Amino acid sequence: MRLDKYLGQNTNLSRSLAKKAISSGQISVNLECIKNTAFKVKMSDQVLYCGEPIVTLGHRYLMLNKPLGYICSTQDELHPSVLNLIDIDKPDRLHIVGRLDVDTTGLVLITDDGQWSHRITSPKRNCQKTYQVDLAETLNAALSRDIIERFKKGLLLKNEFKATLPAQLVIQSNQKVLLSIQEGRYHQVKRMFAAVGNHVEALHRVSIGAITLDTQLSEGEWRYLTEAEITSMN
Ligand code: URA
């Protein structure tokens, strides 16, 4: 990585201040003063800024239990962003992997690794997301069978021309179901139930691929992902 980019990522310096620090001789790599901003640094190099070692942050991967009322983008006039719940250094480097609606709760993944998040959100990967859904209308046995079949086959959502990919529905009780989908269309779960004459009262994401929301996390709490959770998306 270029030295100015490395400093921008691992210190409080902006890219332009990083360039100034380099050209004014404040940076050394492996004890040699480097004044070339494009100098290539390896992760194993020892970089000093005014004689002090720089601690690299590396990539960060988190799961959050999203509460109601928070949005998965930057703050608007009405709602705070879920990123406000992440009390770590350089939160502005982080981005949210896929979005949940303001009234949806549950598993949100957050990282600063763009390639990793792309693997999860890329339509080519068909990464499975599972939701706990509370329904307004009661399901009887016949209705349940019908909806399971329609979701499995794929159905047309309002104003769309391409059927949804096969989805799995597990009936837990007559108003509670688990739905697994492989896509991330706008308001997809709510629109799928609207398409079969029902209405989603509450929506909670429980898993993304092999990563399941940690039941130890209360709403609004987060933790770093384990190595196994991170590599499960490779
Ligand atoms: N589907 C929805 O309708 N809303 C969400 O937040 C996620 C999936």
Side-chain angles (χ1 to χ4, degrees):
M1 183 189 301
R2 282 175 61 108
L3 183 55
D4 53 356
K5 184 171 181 201
Y6 175 95
L7 292 173
Q9 281 192 2
N10 296 297
T11 67
N12 289 327
L13 297 173
S14 64
R15 193 83 176 256
S16 62
L17 283 177
K19 282 186 193 304
K20 281 193 187 136
I22 298 165
S23 47
S24 63
Q26 291 176 292
I27 309 295
S28 69
V29 179
N30 301 332
L31 301 180
E32 186 186 336
C33 180
I34 302 292
K35 291 192 173 182
N36 172 10
T37 53
F39 181 88
K40 290 275 185 269
V41 202
K42 296 190 290 298
M43 287 322 272
S44 55
D45 287 340
Q46 192 200 33
V47 185
L48 305 182
Y49 170 32
C50 293
E52 294 294 324
I54 289 168
V55 181
T56 52
L57 287 170
H59 282 309
R60 296 172 294 174
Y61 307 86
L62 290 69
M63 73 160 73
L64 165 79
N65 185 359
K66 177 190 174 297
L68 286 174
Y70 282 77
I71 54 172
C72 287
S73 54
T74 42
Q75 200 153 315
D76 63 23
E77 305 88 68
L78 289 179
H79 307 100
S81 163
V82 291
L83 291 176
N84 293 2
L85 297 164
I86 312 297
D87 47 346
I88 54 176
D89 208 23
K90 297 186 183 285
D92 49 308
R93 298 268 163 80
L94 301 169
H95 63 264
I96 301 152
V97 187
R99 294 189 175 184
L100 289 182
D101 298 334
V102 66
D103 57 354
T104 301
T105 57
L107 179 63
V108 170
L109 298 177
I110 296 170
T111 184
D112 52 8
D113 183 345
Q115 288 183 351
W116 188 78
S117 55
H118 180 71
R119 285 203 286 279
I120 299 170
T121 53
S122 163
K124 290 191 196 129
R125 288 275 191 141
N126 292 349
C127 179
Q128 183 147 298
K129 276 90 49 184
T130 299
Y131 295 85
Q132 170 78 60
V133 190
D134 288 11
L135 295 169
E137 307 299 332
T138 306
L139 300 173
N140 58 29
L143 252 181
S144 301
R145 273 197 301 276
D146 177 53
I147 298 177
I148 289 172
E149 240 358 84
R150 290 174 70 185
F151 280 8
K152 196 151 104 186
K153 269 208 208 132
L155 79 176
L156 276 184
L157 301 178
K158 200 171 167 202
N159 300 328
E160 288 194 14
F161 304 100
K162 198 169 168 234
T164 52
L165 290 176
Q168 285 77 48
L169 189 66
V170 175
I171 311 288
Q172 297 178 307
S173 69
N174 51 20
Q175 282 176 304
K176 271 191 187 298
V177 298
L178 271 182
L179 176 65
S180 298
I181 58 174
Q182 321 168 37
E183 303 161 280
R185 300 191 199 184
Y186 181 66
H187 295 327
Q188 179 157 348
V189 176
K190 291 173 186 162
R191 291 166 70 217
M192 284 175 76
F193 281 100
V196 294
N198 213 314
H199 177 77
V200 171
E201 294 264 277
L203 189 56
H204 180 79
R205 185 156 63 193
V206 288
S207 66
I208 300 175
I211 303 179
T212 300
L213 180 63
D214 189 331
T215 52
Q216 307 277 351
L217 293 177
S218 305
E219 285 194 0
E221 287 185 340
W222 63 272
R223 70 156 169 81
Y224 287 108
L225 296 186
T226 63
E227 203 58 43
E229 286 168 334
I230 298 164
T231 52
S232 72
M233 295 298 184
N234 288 349

